[in-house]
Amino acid sequence: DIHSTLSVTKSIFLDNKSNQYAGAIAARFLCAIHIDNCSFVNNRANEQIGGILAYMNSTLSVTHSEFRNNTGGQSDGAVGVSKFSSAAINYSWFYNNTASKVAGGIKVEIHSLLIAHNCKFRGNNGGLIGGAIYAFNYSRANISNCSFENNKARQAAGGVGIGTKTALFVSNSEFKNNNGGVQAGAIAAKGNCTTVVNNCQFLHNTASILAGGILNAKYSTVIVNNSALSNNNGGQFGGAILVIE
């Protein structure tokens, strides 16, 4: 708890379980977690966060690690970052993590920050929204040199979703074969959000009704620079990008 630090290297977290939150590790109230060269496999929480939770002004740093087959119950299949906390995740892999409602890989909420660099997100299932990542409630996500492939959600945002005055900055990244269910195969931004996309590729992403690639809705702003959007399928509206109310 308060003002504590945990450092873990070259370790594996396998088949751990929590009845409520954080199947593997939880940090609460001004704490710090440092993870290097570790594996988190088949960990589970019945409510939220299958792997690691950083909560209430806590910090998380992860390098050269993998999160595979973790289950977060309702949300946060692998990692949760909540209430003025931050996570810096570098050179790490998120494979086949699941949640029933929100964020198969990482959830970021309530004035929190995610920095993801050189990470791979594959086969994650976010349930209703956010196959790989979902950030909302005045948060920010900076994503660079990452790949998102074969992630899915049933209602929106097969790759990354943001909501409620959240900012997303994506650069030098690829979104391929993600499925957003009803809307937004790759990225969904709703609710006074800002999304900036630079030097990215969007290939073969799908949604059944709206926006195969990027959905911009509810007073949000999306800026796309020097990017390629090819062979995406938006169902009824917006094969690559859809802008709506």
Side-chain angles (χ1 to χ4, degrees):
D1 279 345
I2 297 175
H3 298 294
S4 296
T5 299
L6 170 68
S7 296
V8 185
T9 61
K10 297 181 180 178
S11 299
I12 183 168
F13 293 77
L14 175 67
D15 293 329
N16 299 288
K17 181 180 178 181
S18 169
N19 289 331
Q20 289 190 314
Y21 307 108
I25 299 173
R28 309 185 308 159
F29 309 116
L30 298 164
C31 292
I33 304 174
H34 306 284
I35 304 294
D36 180 60
N37 198 19
C38 291
S39 295
F40 295 80
V41 181
N42 294 331
N43 300 289
R44 180 183 184 88
N46 288 344
E47 294 293 331
Q48 298 178 21
I49 312 113
I52 303 174
L53 168 64
Y55 177 77
M56 193 61 80
N57 290 288
S58 293
T59 61
L60 169 66
S61 66
V62 179
T63 55
H64 298 288
S65 296
E66 70 163 341
F67 296 82
R68 180 162 43 90
N69 297 329
N70 300 288
T71 302
Q74 295 185 27
S75 67
D76 318 49
V79 172
V81 188
S82 180
K83 291 190 176 181
F84 305 93
S85 296
S86 64
I89 303 176
N90 298 288
Y91 298 95
S92 295
W93 301 266
F94 292 78
Y95 295 156
N96 300 321
N97 302 288
T98 62
S100 65
K101 292 184 178 180
V102 179
I106 303 170
K107 188 178 78 176
V108 186
E109 64 173 347
I110 310 174
H111 298 275
S112 293
L113 168 67
L114 169 67
I115 300 173
H117 178 68
N118 264 308
C119 294
K120 295 181 179 180
F121 298 84
R122 293 183 181 173
N124 300 288
N125 186 339
L128 298 178
I129 185 168
I133 296 172
Y134 188 64
F136 64 109
N137 284 353
Y138 303 88
S139 295
R140 177 180 175 128
N142 294 353
I143 297 169
S144 60
N145 298 90
C146 291
S147 65
F148 297 82
E149 185 173 356
N150 294 323
N151 303 288
K152 64 182 180 180
R154 295 196 304 275
Q155 288 188 359
V160 179
I162 62 170
T164 315
K165 296 186 178 180
T166 289
L168 170 66
F169 299 90
V170 187
S171 62
N172 303 309
S173 296
E174 181 181 66
F175 294 80
K176 184 177 180 181
N177 292 328
N178 300 288
N179 186 327
V182 176
Q183 53 188 313
I187 295 175
K190 296 183 179 182
N192 288 291
C193 293
T194 299
T195 301
V196 179
V197 176
N198 288 308
N199 301 308
C200 292
Q201 291 189 329
F202 296 81
L203 307 170
H204 301 289
N205 301 288
T206 59
S208 64
I209 298 178
L210 305 175
I214 301 171
L215 174 67
N216 181 38
K218 296 184 179 179
Y219 308 102
S220 294
T221 298
V222 172
I223 300 169
V224 179
N225 297 310
N226 196 33
S227 296
L229 299 93
S230 303
N231 295 305
N232 302 287
N233 187 336
Q236 298 179 19
F237 299 95
I241 298 174
L242 177 64
V243 181
I244 60 174
E245 176 253 343

